[in-house]
Amino acid sequence: AGESPADKSGLEPGDVIIEIDGVKVTREEDVNVVVLDGEVGQTLELKVDRNGDILDLELTLEEPPVRRGRRQ
């Protein structure tokens, strides 16, 4: 742990992503779609609810890690 794109962006366990690039997030699947459709190196602007405080964070997409013994 420690160097994933989420870690680098400042996201913490318990943070709730409420907006990505100005688009409201209503379901976890919304986040997955944006991340999977994004391009490596693309920076996403996140609006996050952390214990009632609204924070603006930036997350830069990276290549997914290669998993041993599994094909992508």
Side-chain angles (χ1 to χ4, degrees):
E3 289 305 311
S4 73
D7 292 325
K8 292 175 187 174
S9 75
L11 278 170
E12 295 183 1
D15 284 353
V16 178
I17 299 171
I18 56 175
E19 203 172 278
I20 301 174
D21 285 346
V23 178
K24 290 197 184 307
V25 171
T26 56
R27 303 173 304 152
E28 183 178 337
E29 291 80 18
D30 296 339
V31 176
N32 294 336
V33 167
V34 170
V35 170
L36 293 174
D37 284 349
E39 306 219 354
V40 172
Q42 179 180 354
T43 299
L44 303 175
E45 293 182 11
L46 308 179
K47 197 168 287 284
V48 174
D49 181 336
R50 180 178 294 161
N51 300 317
D53 293 325
I54 305 302
L55 307 174
D56 293 309
L57 303 176
E58 290 187 346
L59 181 137
T60 302
L61 300 179
E62 298 180 359
E63 281 286 337
V66 176
R67 295 189 176 168
R68 292 188 184 148
R70 294 180 64 182
R71 287 187 160 178
Q72 297 289 356

